[in-house]
Amino acid sequence: MLDQTHTDMRADLAAAFRWAVRFNWHEGIANHFSLATNEDGTRFLINPNAMHFARIRASDLLELDANDPETLNMPNAPDPTAWGLHGAVHRNVPWARAALHLHPKYGTILASLKDSRLPAIDQNSAMFYDRVIIDEGYGGLAFEEEGERICSQFSDPQKRVMVMGNHGVMVLGETVGEAFNRLYYFERACETYIGALQTGMPMRTLSDNVAAKTADEMNDQTHLVDTHLAELRKILDAEGSDYAQ
């Protein structure tokens, strides 16, 4: 990540916002993406307060210090829940360079079920076998105390997806591309699972051994994760989008 220029970091994050809109993952002017910019991960980019994802440009992103207690007193302060959740990530989870928090349709449906586990019923869902944290302790809006509680659960770097019970989804990664790719496949897997539930028919669930093997194989495809976002950026570039400005 630190091999990227600051300009590229901003452009990657801005592109992720634009594509979240195209995939209909956004929710009004809520939700937040962030990206660490320094070695220890405590300085980070994040979207401005109350700006729609469809309008965010690279130059609009705020750069904050996770250890600055005066952040919410700044003239251009971030949304307090953005600070509470993402500040906690970048203070406490140093391997998490990128943090994407959304309320996407199918991931949020899963988060609303009493059993929020995602069974391995296809290749996409197998990608997440034994790699998802389920937070069952929802305590209200993600202000600082709730943000700290949520982020304290990210202790295993293999588990980079959280189903935030009664809330939404949080996905962490070492790059924006990695986190965005993981978020894409998780939402796809949730869509398949929710659709399968709606049929009322028995599901064909993979064995634990095959699911674990498939998860390893899927997660070893590291050469593809940043390529996915790079291709999405090329589409925006070809359309003349202003995301990178």
Side-chain angles (χ1 to χ4, degrees), residues 4 93 122 153:
Q4 281 190 304
V93 192
D122 74 329
Q153 299 172 74

Side-chain angles (χ1 to χ4, degrees), residues 2 9 35-44 63 97:
L2 291 177
M9 290 181 187
L35 176 63
T37 58
N38 64 342
E39 187 69 41
D40 65 8
T42 56
R43 290 193 64 83
F44 62 97
E63 186 164 10
R97 309 294 301 178

Side-chain angles (χ1 to χ4, degrees), residues 153-165:
Q153 299 172 74
F154 284 107
S155 57
D156 181 353
Q158 271 210 319
K159 295 185 177 181
R160 301 187 174 200
V161 175
M162 177 183 283
V163 175
M164 305 167 76

